[in-house]
Amino acid sequence: MSKKRVLVLLGPNLNMIGIREKGVYGDETSQSIEMQIHEYAESLGFECEIFQSNWEGALIDKIHGAKGVFDGVVLNAGALAHYSYALRDAVACLRIPFIETHMSNVFAREPFRAHSVLSEVCAGVICGFGKHSYFLALQALKSLM
Ligand code: DQA
């Protein structure tokens, strides 16, 4: 059986993890976390690609291109999760499972972060576990496949 392919899609400012708001996101760099995501995905038997962009359109293009290429997506859209209907519509174009993921507990922060326009079109939501949110999201995808 061929390996399932998963996309880990990261939105604006997630390349700045380790530098930005260390009190919220910790001081481990995005590069280090991405390496561990790759390792963990492989340990679950996935082929994994990680794509980060600060551009909404680039994320939407990547989602459109995921059709027929990936079997599931771990999506940390950053702040776009709170307001991007365009990203939501892109997610709704595909029939593969998306796991909405946030490193921080978005419910314990500023009120605008408590609402996501993506949750309704995702299979589930994981937040609040730092880098482990990504590992848990990969486990969630595994459970759906
Ligand atoms: C985030 C939470 C968002 O509210 C924020 O805008 C981010 C990161 C998280 O991973 O906790 O950029 O998605």
Side-chain angles (χ1 to χ4, degrees), residues 41-101:
E42 277 165 28
S43 79
L44 292 177
F46 287 137
E47 245 173 55
C48 170
E49 180 183 327
I50 302 177
F51 180 83
Q52 189 276 329
S53 180
N54 295 315
W55 295 84
E56 187 180 22
L59 296 166
I60 291 169
D61 284 345
K62 192 70 186 175
I63 291 172
H64 293 171
K67 188 172 173 345
V69 177
F70 292 101
D71 301 295
V73 181
V74 170
L75 173 60
N76 185 350
L80 291 172
H82 309 305
Y83 66 88
S84 175
Y85 296 120
L87 201 58
R88 175 199 166 107
D89 286 349
V91 172
C93 288
L94 270 71
R95 286 169 179 266
I96 56 174
F98 281 68
I99 308 296
E100 179 182 350
T101 307

Side-chain angles (χ1 to χ4, degrees), residues 12-14 20 25 76 78-79 82 101-104 106 109 113:
N13 302 307
L14 291 167
R20 71 184 279 216
Y25 302 109
N76 185 350
H82 309 305
T101 307
H102 300 281
M103 294 180 74
S104 64
V106 287
R109 300 180 63 192
R113 294 187 202 275

Side-chain angles (χ1 to χ4, degrees), residues 116-138:
S116 163
V117 299
L118 302 178
S119 307
E120 217 179 311
V121 290
C122 287
V125 182
I126 291 173
C127 76
F129 301 98
K131 68 179 178 184
H132 298 277
S133 289
Y134 296 116
F135 308 151
L136 291 167
L138 287 165

